[in-house]
Amino acid sequence: MKPGLAKGTRDFTALEVSRRRYIINTLQKNFELFGFQPLETPSFENLSTLTGKYGEEGDRLIFKILNSSINEAKEDKKLIMLSDFQKALDKPFNSENLTDRALRYDLTVPFARFVAMNHNQLTFPFKRYQIQPVWRADRPQKGRFREFYQCDADVVGSESLLQEVDLVQLYLKSFAELGVSVTIHINNRKILSGLAEYAGITNKLIDFTVALDKLDKIGKEGVVKELLERGIAQESIDKLDFLFTQSDDALENLLQLKEKFTGNETGLKGVEELETVITQSLSLGVDIQNLRFDITLARGLDYYTGAIFEVKADEVQMGSIGGGGRYDNLTEVFGVKNIPGIGISFGLDRIYLVMEELGLFPDEATSKVEFLFANFGGDEILEALKLIRQLREQGISAEIYPEAAKIGKQFTYAEKKGIKNLVFLGEEEIKNVTVTYKNLEAGEQKTVSLEEFLSK
């Protein structure tokens, strides 16, 4: 059978792994600079943990795991999968007889589950970062995969808006170090709730936000059409028409909302919170060009209750490369109340594509062997291995060509692997306690003393 990859998955070459590691190391360093500590959770969760947390569209994209062949409730534990599956077919597809576990869809809900289980042992505010793969049964396309990594930073146990301000700085510092120019789009879920109240469609809040979140993909006409299909009256849509003609001045847009939200307590609270985050960020030196109030940003997830973030690259046409928000009620669904939280995520795979397209990866992002020792056979091999061991003890990568092949073949091997230097340690060099090496990038060849070689 001809081998192939499952759709939406990828193999990663040495070059790709090195570059991905460069991004991860940059993010990890900044996470820890901002006081976050590492955490890892299992690759799959109970299905009940995940469902109902991502909205109707998100729930459809959860990868469910078929139950194993062993039914642990049975004493004999020998029921085969075919029998269990046949029994499950006689019941609704979502029956727990068929599946009760699923691959994690994101890192936030598993984190909330962890907090709910361990809140008595945690010190609040609790700050964690997590870098692990997630899975979504999505339609694969450029920048969208079924298996991909998320890099999250979350804070739970604090309602302070200083967390939002800090996360804005974390985003901008991290992307600046990666060389990626970005704009952080920001909104507040309370503003969206206020808009629904203003338009008289409070009972259609989820329908409203799911449709609005698609504005950049389907345009105004597409959003209006979907709102009508979701049962929202034309009169309400007309009241919201101003959403599609916002100015570039964030504070001016907020002032306009204040006027429309007169007597609208939820909406005014959202405006107040967003105004605080924006003005404090600007006071800390954040460029207004990098922080944009986007009133149509909804991110169709049910669990956001306050600030909503989405990050987009300025120089490449790509979907969001980061996002997040405040989710004050998330742990409540696990039986633990009054633990507010906020978090952001970096999309590793899309960040990689952006950096690759813009040529932003530095040389040090590529893992290469520094020295390849030519293999002449005979006694020279042992001397080469001794010198290789000394280099490795200094933290310098080195290897010897495994066979005593023609020197041209060894040259070709070094060039194809991107090895920087080819070392010749033959009879003459051993006799004179010298080393001859050729820098393959510069094309220069030198013979130096063994002592000088090791000191360099």
Side-chain angles (χ1 to χ4, degrees):
M1 184 178 69
K2 186 177 180 180
L5 284 170
K7 285 185 177 180
T9 65
R10 297 150 295 161
D11 292 320
F12 296 109
T13 65
L15 175 64
E16 291 168 326
V17 170
S18 297
R19 288 179 168 181
R20 286 166 64 85
R21 192 176 296 160
Y22 171 76
I23 298 172
I24 288 173
N25 289 343
T26 301
L27 298 181
Q28 182 173 313
K29 180 197 70 174
N30 282 307
F31 288 156
E32 294 183 359
L33 278 175
F34 279 69
F36 294 88
Q37 296 180 322
L39 174 72
E40 293 187 357
T41 59
S43 58
F44 60 89
E45 298 272 352
N46 291 326
L47 182 60
S48 58
T49 297
L50 303 180
T51 52
K53 315 301 189 305
Y54 307 108
E56 59 180 84
E57 293 193 7
D59 280 356
R60 287 200 298 268
L61 301 181
I62 293 174
F63 265 115
K64 300 176 179 65
I65 301 173
L66 205 62
N67 278 349
S68 60
S69 59
I70 296 178
N71 187 332
E72 296 179 0
K74 301 291 183 180
E75 289 184 6
D76 58 6
K77 296 186 177 181
K78 293 180 180 178
L79 292 178
I80 61 172
M81 188 65 213
L82 181 61
S83 174
D84 286 347
F85 185 72
Q86 189 63 49
K87 290 177 182 178
L89 289 178
D90 298 330
K91 299 180 180 181
F93 182 77
N94 287 330
S95 168
E96 290 188 358
N97 284 28
L98 186 60
T99 176
D100 58 7
R101 289 158 295 156
L103 294 176
R104 61 171 172 250
Y105 178 91
D106 72 352
L107 300 179
T108 304
V109 171
F111 172 57
R113 187 265 309 151
F114 169 84
V115 173
M117 291 178 63
N118 299 279
H119 65 281
N120 289 326
Q121 289 79 42
L122 299 176
T123 301
F124 294 106
F126 178 64
K127 303 174 74 172
R128 84 83 173 87
Y129 73 87
Q130 194 170 346
I131 302 174
Q132 287 186 282
V134 297
W135 294 267
R136 296 183 184 180
D138 212 342
R139 184 172 64 87
Q141 53 186 289
K142 182 181 179 182
R144 189 182 295 274
F145 308 99
R146 288 178 172 173
E147 179 187 59
F148 58 97
Y149 268 72
Q150 283 189 339
C151 309
D152 284 13
D154 289 74
V155 187
V156 292
S158 172
E159 295 181 340
S160 171
L161 294 178
L162 292 178
Q163 307 297 352
E164 280 86 336
V165 176
D166 217 29
L167 291 175
V168 167
Q169 293 181 82
L170 174 57
Y171 259 144
L172 294 177
K173 185 177 188 302
S174 299
F175 281 114
E177 290 186 11
L178 292 171
V180 179
S181 176
V182 298
T183 299
I184 301 175
H185 296 247
I186 185 171
N187 197 5
N188 192 295
R189 194 74 175 188
K190 294 183 181 72
I191 289 177
L192 294 170
S193 297
L195 288 170
E197 183 179 332
Y198 170 74
I201 53 172
T202 302
N203 62 329
K204 293 281 187 177
L205 175 61
I206 299 300
D207 292 303
F208 166 56
T209 56
V210 168
L212 191 63
D213 197 40
K214 299 177 182 178
L215 180 63
D216 60 341
K217 298 175 184 176
I218 62 178
K220 176 183 176 180
E221 290 184 6
V223 170
V224 170
K225 180 182 177 182
E226 183 161 338
L227 289 173
L228 290 169
E229 291 172 349
R230 289 176 175 270
I232 295 176
Q234 184 65 53
E235 181 183 357
S236 297
I237 296 174
D238 290 342
K239 290 191 72 174
L240 297 169
D241 188 67
F242 74 96
L243 296 178
F244 307 107
T245 56
Q246 293 290 291
S247 74
D248 293 330
D249 189 324
L251 298 179
E252 180 183 320
N253 293 334
L254 287 172
L255 181 61
Q256 182 185 30
L257 280 178
K258 281 183 180 179
E259 295 172 354
K260 294 184 181 294
F261 285 164
T262 300
N264 186 328
E265 185 177 341
T266 300
L268 287 174
K269 180 65 174 175
V271 170
E272 178 188 338
E273 290 179 1
L274 193 55
E275 190 174 32
T276 298
V277 174
I278 291 175
T279 54
Q280 287 198 7
S281 296
L282 296 180
S283 298
L284 290 169
V286 172
D287 193 327
I288 189 60
Q289 301 300 319
N290 298 124
L291 187 61
R292 177 185 169 189
F293 168 37
D294 187 348
I295 197 172
T296 64
L297 174 62
R299 292 188 65 83
L301 301 176
D302 289 349
Y303 55 70
Y304 288 137
T305 57
I308 309 169
F309 298 104
E310 190 165 86
V311 183
K312 294 185 179 181
D314 295 332
E315 301 172 271
V316 176
Q317 287 285 20
M318 180 74 67
S320 62
I321 58 176
R326 182 167 283 280
Y327 46 88
D328 287 346
N329 301 321
L330 193 58
T331 56
E332 188 171 340
V333 301
F334 299 117
V336 180
K337 298 182 179 181
N338 303 320
I339 301 183
I342 183 170
I344 59 173
S345 181
F346 292 78
L348 172 63
D349 299 276
R350 288 188 176 182
I351 294 171
Y352 183 104
L353 292 174
V354 169
M355 293 182 66
E356 184 178 50
E357 185 170 333
L358 297 176
L360 296 176
F361 286 107
D363 290 341
E364 59 265 28
T366 304
S367 177
K368 291 182 180 179
V369 175
E370 191 77 18
F371 294 100
L372 172 68
F373 281 67
N375 190 330
F376 295 110
D379 295 338
E380 293 91 343
I381 293 177
L382 181 57
E383 295 302 318
L385 291 174
K386 289 179 181 178
L387 185 50
I388 287 172
R389 186 182 66 180
Q390 289 179 274
L391 289 171
R392 289 171 177 170
E393 286 175 351
Q394 295 185 37
I396 299 169
S397 58
E399 64 176 86
I400 188 169
Y401 194 80
E403 288 88 28
K406 291 182 179 180
I407 195 65
K409 186 176 182 180
Q410 299 188 49
F411 260 108
T412 301
Y413 173 81
E415 289 171 348
K416 285 185 175 181
K417 281 195 68 175
I419 296 174
K420 296 180 181 179
N421 300 283
L422 185 58
V423 180
F424 307 100
L425 196 64
E427 290 183 13
E428 196 68 24
E429 283 81 11
I430 294 171
K431 177 183 176 181
N432 297 320
V433 196
T434 59
V435 176
T436 299
Y437 66 97
K438 183 169 185 176
N439 185 305
L440 299 180
E441 294 177 346
E444 299 176 352
Q445 183 167 313
K446 293 181 180 180
T447 299
V448 298
S449 69
L450 176 60
E451 182 181 358
E452 182 182 352
F453 178 76
L454 289 172
S455 68
K456 285 186 177 181

